[in-house]
Coordinates of all heavy atoms in Angstrom, one line a residue:
M23 N -102.3 72.1 37.1 CA -101.2 71.4 37.7 C -100.2 72.4 38.2 O -99.9 73.4 37.4 CB -100.6 70.5 36.7 CG -99.4 69.8 37.1 SD -98.7 68.6 36.0 CE -98.3 69.6 34.6
F24 N -99.7 72.3 39.4 CA -98.7 73.2 39.9 C -97.6 72.4 40.5 O -97.8 71.6 41.4 CB -99.4 74.1 40.9 CG -98.5 75.3 41.3 CD1 -98.6 76.5 40.6 CD2 -97.6 75.2 42.4 CE1 -97.8 77.6 41.0 CE2 -96.8 76.3 42.8 CZ -96.9 77.5 42.1
D25 N -96.4 72.6 40.1 CA -95.2 71.8 40.6 C -94.0 72.7 40.7 O -93.2 72.8 39.8 CB -95.0 70.7 39.6 CG -93.8 69.8 40.1 OD1 -93.6 69.8 41.4 OD2 -93.2 69.0 39.3
S26 N -94.0 73.5 41.7 CA -92.9 74.5 41.8 C -92.7 75.0 43.2 O -93.3 75.9 43.7 CB -93.1 75.6 40.9 OG -92.0 76.5 41.0
G27 N -91.8 74.3 44.0 CA -91.4 74.9 45.3 C -92.5 74.9 46.4 O -92.4 75.7 47.3
I28 N -93.4 73.9 46.4 CA -94.4 73.9 47.5 C -93.7 73.5 48.8 O -93.1 72.4 48.8 CB -95.5 72.9 47.1 CG1 -96.2 73.4 45.9 CG2 -96.5 72.8 48.3 CD1 -97.0 74.7 46.0
R29 N -93.8 74.3 49.8 CA -93.2 74.0 51.1 C -94.2 74.0 52.2 O -93.9 73.6 53.3 CB -92.1 75.0 51.4 CG -90.9 74.9 50.4 CD -89.8 75.9 50.9 NE -88.7 75.8 49.9 CZ -88.5 76.7 49.0 NH1 -89.2 77.8 49.0 NH2 -87.5 76.6 48.2
S30 N -95.4 74.6 52.0 CA -96.3 74.7 53.1 C -97.7 74.7 52.6 O -98.0 74.8 51.4 CB -96.1 76.0 53.9 OG -96.4 77.1 53.0
A31 N -98.7 74.7 53.5 CA -100.1 74.7 53.1 C -100.5 76.0 52.5 O -101.3 76.0 51.6 CB -101.0 74.4 54.3
S32 N -99.8 77.1 52.9 CA -100.2 78.4 52.3 C -99.7 78.4 50.8 O -100.4 79.0 50.0 CB -99.5 79.5 53.0 OG -98.1 79.4 53.0
D33 N -98.7 77.7 50.5 CA -98.3 77.6 49.1 C -99.3 76.8 48.3 O -99.6 77.1 47.2 CB -96.9 76.9 48.9 CG -95.8 77.7 49.5 OD1 -95.9 78.9 49.5 OD2 -94.8 77.1 49.9
V34 N -99.8 75.7 48.9 CA -100.9 74.9 48.3 C -102.1 75.7 48.0 O -102.7 75.7 46.9 CB -101.2 73.6 49.1 CG1 -102.4 72.9 48.6 CG2 -100.0 72.7 49.2
V35 N -102.5 76.5 49.0 CA -103.7 77.3 48.9 C -103.5 78.4 47.8 O -104.4 78.6 47.0 CB -104.1 78.0 50.2 CG1 -105.1 79.1 50.1 CG2 -104.5 76.9 51.2
K36 N -102.4 79.0 47.7 CA -102.1 80.0 46.7 C -102.2 79.4 45.3 O -102.8 79.9 44.4 CB -100.8 80.6 46.9 CG -100.7 81.5 48.1 CD -99.3 82.0 48.3 CE -99.1 82.6 49.7 NZ -97.7 82.9 50.0
A37 N -101.6 78.2 45.2 CA -101.6 77.5 43.9 C -103.1 77.2 43.4 O -103.5 77.4 42.3 CB -100.8 76.2 43.9
L38 N -103.9 76.7 44.4 CA -105.2 76.3 44.1 C -106.1 77.6 43.8 O -106.9 77.6 42.9 CB -105.9 75.5 45.2 CG -105.3 74.1 45.5 CD1 -105.8 73.6 46.8 CD2 -105.6 73.2 44.3
A39 N -105.8 78.7 44.5 CA -106.5 79.9 44.3 C -106.2 80.5 42.9 O -107.1 81.1 42.3 CB -106.1 80.9 45.3
I40 N -105.0 80.3 42.3 CA -104.8 80.8 41.0 C -105.2 79.9 39.9 O -104.9 80.2 38.7 CB -103.3 81.3 40.8 CG1 -102.4 80.1 41.0 CG2 -103.0 82.4 41.8 CD1 -100.9 80.5 40.6
G41 N -105.8 78.8 40.3 CA -106.4 77.9 39.3 C -105.8 76.5 39.1 O -106.3 75.8 38.2
A42 N -104.9 76.1 39.9 CA -104.3 74.8 39.8 C -105.4 73.7 40.2 O -106.2 74.0 41.1 CB -103.1 74.6 40.7
K43 N -105.5 72.7 39.4 CA -106.5 71.6 39.8 C -105.8 70.6 40.7 O -106.5 69.9 41.5 CB -106.9 70.8 38.5 CG -107.6 71.7 37.5 CD -108.9 72.2 38.0 CE -109.6 73.1 37.0 NZ -110.6 73.9 37.6
F44 N -104.5 70.5 40.7 CA -103.8 69.7 41.7 C -102.4 70.3 41.9 O -101.9 71.0 41.1 CB -103.8 68.2 41.4 CG -103.2 67.9 40.0 CD1 -101.9 67.6 39.9 CD2 -104.0 67.8 38.9 CE1 -101.4 67.3 38.6 CE2 -103.5 67.5 37.7 CZ -102.2 67.3 37.5
V45 N -101.8 69.9 43.1 CA -100.5 70.5 43.4 C -99.6 69.4 43.8 O -99.9 68.5 44.6 CB -100.7 71.5 44.6 CG1 -99.4 72.1 45.1 CG2 -101.7 72.6 44.3
F46 N -98.4 69.4 43.2 CA -97.4 68.4 43.6 C -96.6 68.8 44.9 O -96.3 70.0 44.9 CB -96.4 68.2 42.5 CG -96.9 67.5 41.3 CD1 -97.3 68.2 40.1 CD2 -97.2 66.1 41.3 CE1 -97.8 67.6 39.0 CE2 -97.7 65.5 40.1 CZ -98.0 66.3 39.0
V47 N -96.4 67.9 45.8 CA -95.7 68.3 47.0 C -94.5 67.4 47.2 O -94.1 67.0 48.3 CB -96.6 68.2 48.2 CG1 -97.6 69.3 48.2 CG2 -97.3 66.8 48.4
G48 N -93.8 67.1 46.1 CA -92.7 66.2 46.1 C -91.5 66.6 47.0 O -90.9 65.8 47.7
R49 N -91.3 67.9 47.0 CA -90.2 68.4 47.9 C -90.3 68.0 49.3 O -89.4 67.6 50.0 CB -90.1 69.9 47.8 CG -89.0 70.6 48.6 CD -89.0 72.0 48.5 NE -88.7 72.4 47.1 CZ -88.0 73.4 46.7 NH1 -87.3 74.1 47.6 NH2 -87.8 73.7 45.5
L50 N -91.6 68.1 49.8 CA -91.8 67.8 51.2 C -91.6 66.3 51.5 O -90.9 66.0 52.5 CB -93.3 68.1 51.6 CG -93.6 69.6 51.7 CD1 -95.1 69.8 51.9 CD2 -92.8 70.2 52.8
W51 N -92.2 65.4 50.7 CA -92.0 64.0 51.1 C -90.6 63.5 50.8 O -90.1 62.7 51.5 CB -93.1 63.1 50.4 CG -93.0 62.9 49.0 CD1 -93.7 63.5 48.0 CD2 -92.2 61.9 48.3 NE1 -93.4 62.9 46.8 CE2 -92.4 61.9 46.9 CE3 -91.2 60.9 48.8 CZ2 -91.8 61.1 46.0 CZ3 -90.6 60.1 47.9 CH2 -90.9 60.2 46.5
V52 N -89.9 64.1 49.8 CA -88.5 63.7 49.6 C -87.7 64.2 50.8 O -86.8 63.4 51.3 CB -87.9 64.3 48.3 CG1 -86.4 64.2 48.3 CG2 -88.6 63.7 47.1
W53 N -87.9 65.4 51.4 CA -87.2 65.8 52.6 C -87.5 64.9 53.7 O -86.6 64.5 54.4 CB -87.7 67.3 52.9 CG -87.0 67.8 54.1 CD1 -85.7 68.3 54.2 CD2 -87.5 67.8 55.4 NE1 -85.4 68.7 55.5 CE2 -86.5 68.4 56.3 CE3 -88.7 67.4 56.0 CZ2 -86.7 68.5 57.6 CZ3 -88.9 67.6 57.4 CH2 -87.9 68.1 58.2
G54 N -88.8 64.5 54.0 CA -89.2 63.6 55.0 C -88.5 62.3 54.9 O -88.0 61.7 55.8
L55 N -88.5 61.8 53.6 CA -87.9 60.5 53.4 C -86.4 60.5 53.7 O -85.8 59.6 54.3 CB -88.1 60.1 51.9 CG -87.6 58.7 51.4 CD1 -88.3 57.6 52.1 CD2 -87.8 58.6 49.9
S56 N -85.7 61.6 53.3 CA -84.3 61.7 53.5 C -83.9 61.8 55.0 O -82.8 61.4 55.4 CB -83.7 62.9 52.7 OG -84.1 64.1 53.3
I57 N -84.8 62.4 55.8 CA -84.5 62.6 57.2 C -84.8 61.3 58.0 O -84.0 60.9 58.9 CB -85.3 63.8 57.7 CG1 -84.9 65.1 57.0 CG2 -85.1 64.0 59.2 CD1 -83.4 65.4 57.1
M58 N -86.1 60.8 57.8 CA -86.5 59.7 58.7 C -87.2 58.5 58.0 O -88.0 57.8 58.6 CB -87.5 60.3 59.7 CG -86.9 61.3 60.7 SD -88.0 62.0 61.8 CE -88.7 60.6 62.7
G59 N -87.0 58.4 56.7 CA -87.6 57.3 55.9 C -89.1 57.4 55.9 O -89.6 58.5 55.8
E60 N -89.8 56.3 55.9 CA -91.2 56.3 55.7 C -91.9 57.1 56.8 O -92.9 57.8 56.6 CB -91.7 54.8 55.8 CG -93.2 54.8 55.6 CD -93.8 53.3 55.6 OE1 -93.0 52.4 55.4 OE2 -95.0 53.2 55.8
H61 N -91.4 57.0 58.0 CA -92.0 57.7 59.2 C -91.9 59.2 58.9 O -92.8 60.0 59.2 CB -91.3 57.4 60.5 CG -91.8 58.2 61.6 ND1 -93.0 57.9 62.2 CD2 -91.2 59.2 62.3 CE1 -93.2 58.8 63.2 NE2 -92.1 59.5 63.3
G62 N -90.8 59.7 58.3 CA -90.6 61.1 58.0 C -91.6 61.6 56.9 O -92.1 62.7 57.0
V63 N -91.8 60.7 55.9 CA -92.8 61.1 54.9 C -94.2 61.2 55.5 O -94.9 62.2 55.3 CB -92.9 60.0 53.8 CG1 -94.0 60.3 52.8 CG2 -91.5 59.9 53.1
R64 N -94.6 60.2 56.4 CA -95.9 60.3 57.1 C -96.0 61.6 57.9 O -97.0 62.3 58.0 CB -96.1 59.1 57.9 CG -96.3 57.8 57.2 CD -96.6 56.7 58.1 NE -96.5 55.4 57.4 CZ -97.6 54.9 56.7 NH1 -98.7 55.6 56.7 NH2 -97.5 53.8 56.1
H65 N -94.9 61.9 58.6 CA -94.9 63.1 59.4 C -95.1 64.4 58.6 O -95.9 65.2 59.0 CB -93.6 63.2 60.2 CG -93.5 64.4 61.1 ND1 -94.2 64.6 62.2 CD2 -92.8 65.5 60.9 CE1 -93.9 65.8 62.7 NE2 -93.0 66.4 62.0
V66 N -94.3 64.6 57.6 CA -94.4 65.8 56.8 C -95.8 65.9 56.1 O -96.4 67.0 56.0 CB -93.3 66.1 55.8 CG1 -92.0 66.2 56.5 CG2 -93.2 65.0 54.8
M67 N -96.3 64.8 55.6 CA -97.6 64.9 55.0 C -98.7 65.1 56.0 O -99.7 65.9 55.7 CB -97.9 63.6 54.2 CG -96.9 63.4 53.0 SD -96.6 64.9 52.0 CE -98.2 65.0 51.2
T68 N -98.7 64.5 57.1 CA -99.6 64.8 58.2 C -99.6 66.2 58.6 O -100.6 66.9 58.8 CB -99.4 63.9 59.4 OG1 -99.5 62.5 58.9 CG2 -100.4 64.1 60.5
S69 N -98.4 66.8 58.8 CA -98.2 68.2 59.1 C -98.7 69.1 58.1 O -99.4 70.1 58.4 CB -96.7 68.5 59.3 OG -96.2 67.7 60.4
L70 N -98.5 68.8 56.8 CA -99.1 69.6 55.7 C -100.6 69.6 55.8 O -101.2 70.7 55.7 CB -98.6 69.1 54.4 CG -99.2 69.8 53.2 CD1 -98.6 71.3 53.1 CD2 -98.9 69.1 51.9
L71 N -101.2 68.5 56.0 CA -102.7 68.4 56.1 C -103.2 69.1 57.3 O -104.2 69.8 57.2 CB -103.2 66.9 56.1 CG -103.0 66.2 54.7 CD1 -103.3 64.7 54.9 CD2 -103.8 66.8 53.6
S72 N -102.5 69.0 58.4 CA -102.9 69.7 59.6 C -102.8 71.2 59.4 O -103.7 72.0 59.8 CB -102.0 69.3 60.8 OG -102.2 68.0 61.1
E73 N -101.7 71.7 58.8 CA -101.6 73.1 58.5 C -102.7 73.6 57.5 O -103.2 74.7 57.7 CB -100.2 73.3 57.9 CG -99.9 74.8 57.6 CD -98.5 75.0 56.9 OE1 -97.8 74.0 56.7 OE2 -98.2 76.1 56.6
L74 N -103.0 72.8 56.5 CA -104.1 73.2 55.6 C -105.4 73.3 56.4 O -106.2 74.2 56.1 CB -104.2 72.2 54.5 CG -105.3 72.4 53.4 CD1 -105.1 73.8 52.7 CD2 -105.3 71.3 52.4
D75 N -105.7 72.4 57.2 CA -106.9 72.4 58.0 C -107.0 73.7 58.9 O -108.0 74.3 58.9 CB -107.0 71.1 58.9 CG -108.3 71.0 59.6 OD1 -109.4 71.2 59.0 OD2 -108.3 70.8 60.9
I76 N -105.9 74.0 59.5 CA -105.9 75.2 60.4 C -106.1 76.5 59.5 O -106.9 77.3 59.8 CB -104.5 75.3 61.1 CG1 -104.5 74.2 62.2 CG2 -104.3 76.7 61.8 CD1 -103.1 74.0 62.8
L77 N -105.4 76.5 58.4 CA -105.4 77.7 57.5 C -106.9 77.8 57.0 O -107.4 79.0 56.9 CB -104.5 77.5 56.3 CG -104.2 78.7 55.5 CD1 -102.7 78.6 55.0 CD2 -105.1 78.8 54.3
M78 N -107.5 76.7 56.6 CA -108.9 76.8 56.1 C -109.9 77.3 57.2 O -110.7 78.1 57.0 CB -109.3 75.5 55.5 CG -108.7 75.2 54.2 SD -109.2 73.6 53.5 CE -110.9 73.9 53.2
N79 N -109.7 76.8 58.4 CA -110.6 77.2 59.5 C -110.4 78.7 59.9 O -111.4 79.4 60.1 CB -110.3 76.3 60.7 CG -111.0 75.0 60.6 OD1 -112.2 74.9 60.3 ND2 -110.2 73.9 60.8
V80 N -109.1 79.1 59.9 CA -108.9 80.5 60.3 C -109.4 81.4 59.2 O -110.0 82.5 59.4 CB -107.4 80.8 60.5 CG1 -107.0 82.2 60.5 CG2 -106.9 80.1 61.7
G81 N -109.3 81.0 57.9 CA -109.8 81.8 56.8 C -111.3 81.7 56.5 O -111.9 82.4 55.7
G82 N -112.0 80.7 57.2 CA -113.4 80.6 57.1 C -113.8 79.8 55.9 O -115.0 80.0 55.4
F83 N -113.0 79.0 55.4 CA -113.3 78.2 54.2 C -113.8 76.8 54.6 O -113.2 76.1 55.4 CB -112.0 78.0 53.3 CG -111.6 79.3 52.7 CD1 -110.5 80.0 53.3 CD2 -112.2 79.9 51.7 CE1 -110.0 81.2 52.8 CE2 -111.8 81.2 51.2 CZ -110.7 81.8 51.7
Q84 N -114.8 76.3 54.0 CA -115.4 75.0 54.2 C -114.8 74.0 53.3 O -114.8 72.8 53.6 CB -116.9 75.0 54.1 CG -117.6 76.1 54.9 CD -117.3 76.1 56.4 OE1 -117.3 75.0 57.0 NE2 -116.9 77.2 57.0
S85 N -114.4 74.4 52.1 CA -114.0 73.5 51.0 C -112.9 74.2 50.2 O -112.9 75.4 50.0 CB -115.2 73.1 50.2 OG -114.8 72.5 49.0
I86 N -112.0 73.4 49.6 CA -111.0 74.0 48.7 C -111.7 74.6 47.4 O -111.1 75.4 46.7 CB -109.9 73.0 48.3 CG1 -110.4 71.8 47.6 CG2 -109.1 72.6 49.5 CD1 -109.4 70.9 47.0
D87 N -112.9 74.2 47.1 CA -113.7 74.7 46.0 C -113.9 76.2 46.2 O -114.2 76.9 45.2 CB -115.0 74.0 45.8 CG -114.8 72.6 45.4 OD1 -113.8 72.3 44.8 OD2 -115.7 71.7 45.8
Q88 N -113.8 76.7 47.4 CA -114.0 78.2 47.7 C -112.8 79.0 47.4 O -112.9 80.2 47.4 CB -114.5 78.3 49.1 CG -115.8 77.7 49.5 CD -116.1 77.8 50.9 OE1 -115.3 77.4 51.8 NE2 -117.3 78.3 51.3
F89 N -111.7 78.4 47.1 CA -110.5 79.2 46.8 C -110.6 79.8 45.4 O -110.9 79.1 44.5 CB -109.2 78.3 46.9 CG -108.9 77.7 48.2 CD1 -108.1 76.6 48.3 CD2 -109.5 78.1 49.4 CE1 -107.8 76.0 49.5 CE2 -109.2 77.5 50.6 CZ -108.3 76.5 50.6
D90 N -110.3 81.1 45.3 CA -110.2 81.7 44.0 C -109.3 82.9 44.1 O -108.8 83.2 45.2 CB -111.6 82.2 43.5 CG -112.3 83.2 44.4 OD1 -111.6 83.8 45.3 OD2 -113.5 83.4 44.2
R91 N -109.0 83.5 43.0 CA -108.1 84.7 42.9 C -108.4 85.8 43.9 O -107.6 86.6 44.3 CB -107.9 85.2 41.5 CG -107.2 84.2 40.6 CD -107.1 84.8 39.2 NE -106.4 83.9 38.3 CZ -105.1 83.9 38.1 NH1 -104.3 84.8 38.6 NH2 -104.6 83.0 37.2
N92 N -109.7 86.0 44.1 CA -110.1 87.1 44.9 C -109.6 87.0 46.4 O -109.6 88.0 47.1 CB -111.7 87.2 44.9 CG -112.2 87.6 43.6 OD1 -111.6 88.3 42.8 ND2 -113.3 87.0 43.2
M93 N -109.3 85.8 46.8 CA -108.8 85.7 48.2 C -107.4 86.1 48.3 O -106.9 86.3 49.4 CB -109.0 84.2 48.7 CG -108.1 83.2 48.0 SD -108.3 81.6 48.5 CE -107.3 81.5 49.9
L94 N -106.7 86.3 47.2 CA -105.3 86.7 47.3 C -105.2 88.2 47.1 O -105.8 88.8 46.3 CB -104.5 86.0 46.1 CG -104.5 84.5 46.1 CD1 -103.8 84.0 44.9 CD2 -103.9 83.9 47.3
E95 N -104.4 88.8 47.9 CA -104.2 90.2 47.9 C -102.8 90.5 47.3 O -101.8 90.1 47.9 CB -104.3 90.8 49.3 CG -104.4 92.3 49.3 CD -104.7 92.8 50.7 OE1 -105.8 92.5 51.2 OE2 -103.9 93.5 51.2
S96 N -102.7 91.0 46.1 CA -101.4 91.2 45.5 C -100.8 92.6 45.6 O -99.8 92.9 45.1 CB -101.5 90.8 44.0 OG -102.4 91.7 43.4
Y97 N -101.6 93.5 46.3 CA -101.1 94.8 46.5 C -101.5 95.3 47.9 O -102.5 94.7 48.5 CB -101.6 95.8 45.5 CG -103.1 95.7 45.3 CD1 -104.0 96.5 46.1 CD2 -103.7 94.8 44.4 CE1 -105.3 96.4 45.9 CE2 -105.0 94.7 44.2 CZ -105.9 95.5 45.0 OH -107.2 95.4 44.9
P98 N -100.9 96.3 48.5 CA -101.3 96.7 49.8 C -102.7 97.2 49.9 O -103.1 97.9 48.9 CB -100.3 97.8 50.2 CG -99.2 97.7 49.2 CD -99.7 97.0 48.0
P99 N -103.5 96.9 50.9 CA -104.8 97.4 51.0 C -104.8 98.9 51.2 O -103.9 99.5 51.8 CB -105.4 96.7 52.2 CG -104.2 96.3 53.0 CD -103.1 96.1 52.0
S100 N -105.8 99.6 50.8 CA -106.0 101.0 51.0 C -106.7 101.2 52.4 O -107.8 100.7 52.6 CB -106.8 101.6 49.9 OG -107.1 103.0 50.2
Y101 N -106.0 101.9 53.3 CA -106.6 102.1 54.6 C -107.1 103.6 54.7 O -106.9 104.2 55.7 CB -105.5 101.8 55.7 CG -105.1 100.4 55.7 CD1 -103.9 100.0 55.3 CD2 -106.0 99.5 56.2 CE1 -103.5 98.7 55.3 CE2 -105.7 98.1 56.2 CZ -104.4 97.7 55.8 OH -104.1 96.4 55.9
D102 N -107.7 104.1 53.7 CA -108.3 105.4 53.7 C -109.4 105.6 54.8 O -110.2 104.8 55.0 CB -108.8 105.8 52.4 CG -107.7 105.9 51.3 OD1 -106.6 106.1 51.7 OD2 -108.0 105.7 50.1

């Protein structure tokens, strides 16, 4: 479970990669609700799913089951 400052699909992917089984996205839908009501919630959640789809395609991932710690780079790569 991960519930801390999720703002984008990249945050969701990082949380899943470090082992979260699910991720809360309350901040997004509350923001959408406060701006445009139900339509705003639908918009931000659709945007999040679209962003996740793009991120997975660009990264070459077929499923979220493929996310693991190895995909995260926590230090600069060596360009020797």
Side-chain angles (χ1 to χ4, degrees):
M23 175 175 66
F24 191 90
D25 183 21
S26 182
I28 299 295
R29 293 186 183 106
S30 67
S32 63
D33 294 333
V34 171
V35 169
K36 290 174 198 173
L38 294 171
I40 62 172
K43 298 295 180 200
F44 55 92
V45 179
F46 291 104
V47 291
R49 179 181 299 221
L50 289 176
W51 73 260
V52 168
W53 180 81
L55 184 65
S56 68
I57 300 299
M58 297 175 59
E60 182 181 343
H61 179 72
V63 174
R64 290 181 190 278
H65 176 74
V66 295
M67 297 312 294
T68 300
S69 297
L70 178 68
L71 290 174
S72 297
E73 184 184 355
L74 180 61
D75 185 50
I76 291 167
L77 196 147
M78 288 180 66
N79 282 308
V80 168
F83 297 101
Q84 309 302 313
S85 167
I86 61 170
D87 295 330
Q88 296 174 307
F89 298 163
D90 63 13
R91 287 181 184 266
N92 294 325
M93 66 181 277
L94 301 176
E95 193 172 295
S96 60
Y97 53 88
S100 176
Y101 294 109
D102 296 334

